[in-house]
Amino acid sequence: MKKIALLLWLTQPLFFLLQAQPLPTPAHQKEKTAFQIAAPWNEAYDVRSDVAIVYGVNDAGGNFEARVKGWQDKGYKVHFMTGIAWGQYKDYFLGDYDGKPHLDEGQVERNGDTIWHGHNVPYIVPSANFLNYLKTHLKRAIDAGVSAIHLEEPEFWARAGYSAAFKNEWRKYYGFDWKPQHSSPEATYQSSKLKYHLYYNALKECFAYVKAYSKSVGKNVQCYVPTHSLINYSSWRIVSPEASLASIKDVDGYIAQVWTGTSREPVYFNGVQKERVFENAFLEYGSMISMVKPTGKKIFLLTDPIEDWPRTWDDYKKNYQATFTAKLLYPSVADYEVMPWPNRIYQGKFKLENSDDRVPIAPEYATQMQVMVNALNEIPVSQNAVSGSHGVGVLLSNSMMFQRFPTHAGYEDPQLSNFYGMAMPLLKRGVPVATVHMENLMNENSLKDVAVLIMSYANMKPLSESYHRALATWVKGGGVLLYYGRDKDPFQGVQEWWNSKDKKFEAPSEDLFAKLGLKDPTVFDGRFLKVGKGQVSVNRVDPKELVMTANKDQAFITNVNNAFEMRTGSRLMLKNNLVLRRGPYIVAAVLDEHEDKRPLIINGPVIDLFDPRLPVLKRCEIRPGTQAFLYDLSNLTSDQPRTLASAARIYNETITDSSYAFVAKSPSHTINRMRIKLPAVPVSVQFSTDALLAGTIKKIWDEETKTICLQFNNRSEGVSVKINWK
């Protein structure tokens, strides 16, 4: 493709229409993008999202009210975030709050050790006294003028449950003395249910306070729960309320805390345990979205250009692209937390590949990251669907977290394989498998788009009989249910509703099968059984067997294929890629470990948004194990000037019949590259004087697409640009 450097511009006067004061930054009316930050505003990490989520009252970033005002003064809407299970709460634990030390309220392991967070404070057993203390922080945040409260990471470690504080909560909740969770499956299950309840109640009480107090001062402060996915918490052996929080009327939504650190947890597929970051992220985001999809509550999807654990910049970049692509493959969501801790990203130092030297972020990676982040400000919700066969779902439940630790009777579920055994064989073959939360089954929308539902009680148990009634109704109405499980794990017999009062079932699945009219267990051999208008297939295989043994998933895929054809009349589309178009954007991932080793070819012209040079490509080749984020130029029919991609956010656009002017803002000391559509080749490009002094300006014209690529140094207060073509 012919590219012409506009040497003519070097003879043109480059100038800035100076104003007495810097251009004001408008307050954004929408809350589409956000980042969380404990530090005060600084030009070096002025990311220019819609919302700055100021972290912590007691954090090291200085005076809280000053931090809030500092971000507000720069045009941001400001939210407040703090941990509900941990945080900078030394004044509480050491006795400054009420004159009594509270270190005894930490989460304690069997050996007597307290579980500490990185801030040298323990994970908390949320007592009534602690919640009263936390409310003082919430009041202070509301008084400082924030418009939303985020209480993050309601986490109770599965290995905890031995403190005096927990034993006291046990007696209050169950009405009988504490049982050590290692003593029996039932004690483990009861311990987990209490942990689940404690943080459900803590969030319910705190958010009720937020709503009541904010209303009393004439405000309507929103309430969000930033949380890891159910998949990750189950994998990491943490108990949290997850999907049940959607039933709390004062919860307005979630932040889906999915990033490289969660998604790189090794999982099994085809007998091999290893990191599969893209696939894991896709399933994690999906499980978070399925929590809110039937409820209509808001969700922000998070990615992190680095991660908490020190690794190399090359590792960060590769996995950032994988997780970023995974979240964009969910077209019904277009709200994002673009990064946590931008000061850590822009001012931190990490290793390069094959080097022990720690260095700051490379200018090219910073530019690429900013192009991606600013695209999130523009990317729309879309009615388009990811390529592939839709309508296959895997059933999840919060009780997945209840069986992870400790194990009993020698039954293990390595790397959560009883879940991945139902999902990974499909996803690896290009089926965009969905997840369905059992806790949402009473909502009529939860199974609306599901043709085939796959489930097991090897890794979870139903917390209510009502779930079985909903499943039976769905099957009888035409759904196809595939059940996998030997029902031999030691949690099948915990004292619960299916074996209490008038019910005497040895396993919860027996109640489900009875409601489906399946009374002869000799037919549970994988054959399809007609139930009303639907079908059921019971397979006496634990899902973990499908991925922990090589080539063991073939019969599973055949079974799902047959079920899908029964329900839809068509076979599953098996392929090695997932592709989605969202407005002008193309999002694509090509899966490895697939028999098809061919790359995916996307014909241009497209802009490669993972390349900081923003090249225009005639043809994009995406190899197995990689992803792509592209801007499609083929459908640009208007000659009206517009910024297509930029490593800065664009403000104050002005268009005339001969010019296009704007202000570009992004963190100072970074490089902006931007590609702009124009009606004709420019005759001059005018920049602010400061931009000229700050560094080299580059301009390259692409005649075929009538786009210009500009490069100049960013300034957080803005660089004014005016392009003239007449």
Side-chain angles (χ1 to χ4, degrees):
M1 184 174 294
K2 186 177 181 181
K3 296 181 179 178
I4 304 172
L6 295 184
L7 298 178
L8 173 64
W9 288 344
L10 299 180
T11 65
Q12 296 291 326
L14 303 175
F15 63 91
F16 170 51
L17 301 178
L18 293 171
Q19 299 187 10
Q21 299 294 330
L23 290 171
T25 301
H28 299 298
Q29 297 304 307
K30 56 188 177 181
E31 297 190 4
K32 187 177 188 302
T33 56
F35 57 85
Q36 65 191 63
I37 181 77
W41 178 88
N42 187 298
E43 66 174 2
Y45 45 80
D46 188 10
V47 178
R48 303 315 314 166
S49 295
D50 300 328
V51 178
I53 307 175
V54 174
Y55 201 98
V57 166
N58 295 335
D59 281 70
N63 180 273
F64 171 69
E65 285 76 11
R67 281 187 285 142
V68 170
K69 187 175 186 303
W71 289 101
Q72 288 173 332
D73 288 348
K74 295 299 179 178
Y76 289 91
K77 289 192 173 182
V78 175
H79 294 184
F80 170 70
M81 184 187 293
T82 193
I84 193 168
W86 52 267
Q88 291 282 17
Y89 304 141
K90 288 184 180 180
D91 56 336
Y92 179 77
F93 291 112
L94 299 181
D96 295 338
Y97 167 63
D98 58 3
K100 300 176 184 178
H102 296 284
L103 288 170
D104 60 336
E105 295 180 26
Q107 298 178 23
V108 174
E109 298 181 75
R110 181 181 177 183
N111 64 3
D113 288 346
T114 297
I115 301 176
W116 297 86
H117 193 267
H119 295 294
N120 297 316
V121 294
Y123 281 88
I124 190 82
V125 178
S127 66
N129 192 57
F130 173 73
L131 297 182
N132 287 334
Y133 161 79
L134 190 58
K135 290 172 189 175
T136 66
H137 289 229
L138 306 181
K139 179 180 183 299
R140 186 173 172 184
I142 294 167
D143 290 343
V146 305
S147 59
I149 300 286
H150 300 252
L151 292 178
E152 75 157 337
E153 297 183 349
E155 299 172 345
F156 212 122
W157 287 91
R159 69 181 190 270
Y162 293 85
S163 67
F166 185 74
K167 293 175 184 178
N168 182 54
E169 295 293 342
W170 180 293
R171 282 189 292 271
K172 288 193 292 185
Y173 184 69
Y174 286 115
F176 54 82
D177 286 344
W178 169 82
K179 299 176 184 178
Q181 63 186 26
H182 62 273
S183 63
S184 68
E186 185 167 313
T188 297
Y189 199 77
Q190 289 173 328
S191 181
S192 294
K193 285 183 73 173
L194 175 56
K195 295 167 185 176
Y196 176 90
H197 163 78
L198 287 173
Y199 273 109
Y200 176 89
N201 181 70
L203 287 163
K204 183 178 180 180
E205 183 174 329
C206 286
F207 286 150
Y209 171 81
V210 168
K211 294 294 187 179
Y213 178 70
S214 66
K215 183 178 180 180
S216 74
V217 294
K219 300 177 181 178
N220 179 23
V221 173
Q222 301 292 289
C223 296
Y224 295 98
V225 183
T227 176
H228 297 206
S229 70
L230 170 60
I231 295 170
N232 176 255
Y233 276 153
S234 299
S235 181
W236 284 4
R237 298 177 171 87
I238 295 172
V239 178
S240 188
E242 289 292 307
S244 64
L245 296 176
S247 68
I248 299 176
K249 65 180 179 63
D250 295 323
V251 171
D252 295 295
Y254 297 87
I255 294 178
Q257 293 181 320
V258 180
W259 74 100
T260 301
T262 63
S263 300
R264 75 185 323 145
E265 184 69 21
V267 297
Y268 279 94
F269 171 68
N270 201 26
V272 178
Q273 178 188 351
K274 70 173 188 176
E275 291 182 9
R276 295 176 171 91
V277 173
F278 166 77
E279 292 86 349
N280 217 355
F282 182 86
L283 293 170
E284 283 199 76
Y285 286 120
S287 74
M288 291 293 297
I289 292 169
S290 77
M291 290 200 310
V292 300
K293 185 177 179 181
T295 70
K297 293 180 185 283
K298 183 166 181 171
I299 188 166
F300 294 88
L301 306 183
L302 171 131
T303 39
D304 190 346
I306 59 173
E307 63 163 307
D308 297 339
W309 194 257
R311 300 184 190 271
T312 67
W313 283 113
D314 294 314
D315 182 279
Y316 291 150
K317 178 177 178 292
K318 172 186 175 183
N319 290 310
Y320 177 46
Q321 292 176 180
T323 54
F324 187 92
T325 301
K327 77 177 180 182
L328 293 185
L329 287 172
Y330 287 95
S332 65
V333 178
D335 299 316
Y336 304 100
E337 183 179 341
V338 304
M339 65 182 71
W341 322 125
N343 53 318
R344 179 177 70 174
I345 296 166
Y346 285 97
Q347 297 180 321
K349 293 183 178 181
F350 300 94
K351 293 180 181 179
L352 296 171
E353 202 74 29
N354 302 317
S355 172
D356 289 331
D357 295 335
R358 293 180 177 272
V359 298
I361 188 170
E364 293 295 286
Y365 184 35
T367 297
Q368 174 190 342
M369 178 182 69
Q370 288 162 198
V371 168
M372 295 161 66
V373 163
N374 281 288
L376 297 178
N377 293 316
E378 307 298 331
I379 197 163
V381 169
S382 175
Q383 299 300 315
N384 292 345
V386 178
S387 63
S389 299
H390 290 260
V392 180
V394 173
L395 195 63
L396 303 178
S397 171
N398 287 339
S399 63
M400 280 173 57
M401 298 176 285
F402 296 3
Q403 300 185 193
R404 296 293 293 150
F405 183 90
T407 57
H408 298 274
Y411 187 86
E412 300 288 343
D413 182 11
Q415 299 304 114
L416 204 64
S417 294
N418 275 320
F419 162 71
Y420 287 104
M422 296 181 284
M424 196 63 74
L426 292 162
L427 181 56
K428 275 294 193 178
R429 291 170 171 86
V431 178
V433 60
T435 49
V436 178
H437 275 73
M438 187 175 282
E439 287 75 13
N440 285 336
L441 285 177
M442 303 310 294
N443 188 304
E444 62 183 4
N445 295 319
S446 63
L447 293 173
K448 182 178 66 172
D449 300 322
V450 177
V452 177
L453 184 65
I454 310 164
M455 65 175 291
S456 177
Y457 284 148
N459 63 330
M460 64 185 192
K461 302 296 177 285
L463 298 177
S464 169
E465 184 182 358
S466 62
Y467 305 156
H468 285 177
R469 287 193 285 266
L471 287 171
T473 298
W474 175 76
V475 172
K476 292 173 183 177
V480 182
L481 180 68
L482 302 182
Y483 185 90
Y484 278 80
R486 299 183 185 273
D487 292 342
K488 297 297 184 183
D489 70 88
F491 289 92
Q492 299 285 340
V494 299
Q495 187 173 357
E496 261 289 1
W497 62 265
W498 61 84
N499 54 26
S500 303
K501 297 181 181 179
D502 60 333
K503 292 186 181 295
K504 306 299 179 185
F505 295 117
E506 294 183 0
S509 63
E510 293 179 13
D511 176 79
L512 175 60
F513 299 152
K515 286 181 169 57
L516 291 167
L518 305 178
K519 299 179 180 179
D520 180 5
T522 63
V523 299
F524 295 169
D525 56 5
R527 75 184 75 171
F528 284 92
L529 307 169
K530 189 167 180 58
V531 176
K533 297 179 181 178
Q535 300 275 346
V536 177
S537 171
V538 180
N539 302 265
R540 289 311 191 186
V541 176
D542 278 352
K544 65 181 181 179
E545 301 169 40
L546 305 177
V547 287
M548 294 184 67
T549 303
N551 300 315
K552 189 66 182 291
D553 61 4
Q554 297 296 328
F556 170 77
I557 293 298
T558 299
N559 211 21
V560 179
N561 223 333
N562 291 337
F564 191 77
E565 187 172 23
M566 286 178 190
R567 186 71 172 91
T568 68
S570 60
R571 304 286 285 176
L572 286 174
M573 185 187 303
L574 303 180
K575 52 190 172 51
N576 74 342
N577 59 77
L578 298 169
V579 183
L580 173 67
R581 291 178 178 267
R582 297 181 62 162
Y585 298 97
I586 301 173
V587 187
V590 179
L591 302 157
D592 59 2
E593 302 178 284
H594 194 284
E595 62 183 18
D596 185 353
K597 310 298 183 186
R598 293 174 298 174
L600 175 68
I601 305 299
I602 295 180
N603 292 319
V606 294
I607 306 169
D608 185 351
L609 300 178
F610 281 164
D611 187 330
R613 298 168 298 175
L614 297 179
V616 174
L617 306 178
K618 285 186 175 179
R619 180 178 181 272
C620 180
E621 181 177 300
I622 310 164
R623 302 184 313 278
T626 65
Q627 305 81 36
F629 182 37
L630 309 170
Y631 192 103
D632 185 6
L633 295 168
S634 62
N635 293 322
L636 284 180
T637 56
S638 171
D639 283 337
Q640 181 166 322
R642 58 182 298 187
T643 298
L644 307 176
S646 174
R649 192 161 190 179
I650 305 305
Y651 297 80
N652 302 348
E653 292 178 280
T654 303
I655 299 173
T656 72
D657 61 357
S658 62
S659 66
Y660 174 45
F662 54 85
V663 176
K665 297 185 179 183
S666 207
S668 297
H669 317 300
T670 63
I671 297 171
N672 183 29
R673 288 199 190 93
M674 55 193 310
R675 189 165 286 278
I676 303 168
K677 172 73 174 176
L678 295 172
V681 59
V683 295
S684 68
V685 182
Q686 305 161 341
F687 294 86
S688 65
T689 302
D690 284 350
L692 288 176
L693 298 176
T696 303
I697 294 171
K698 296 181 180 179
K699 308 174 286 287
I700 298 177
W701 174 256
D702 185 83
E703 177 62 30
E704 184 173 338
T705 60
K706 288 187 164 42
T707 61
I708 183 174
C709 186
L710 297 181
Q711 174 183 318
F712 52 88
N713 283 11
N714 276 316
R715 297 179 66 87
S716 72
E717 64 265 38
V719 175
S720 290
V721 180
K722 185 177 182 182
I723 304 173
N724 303 283
W725 52 86
K726 290 183 182 179

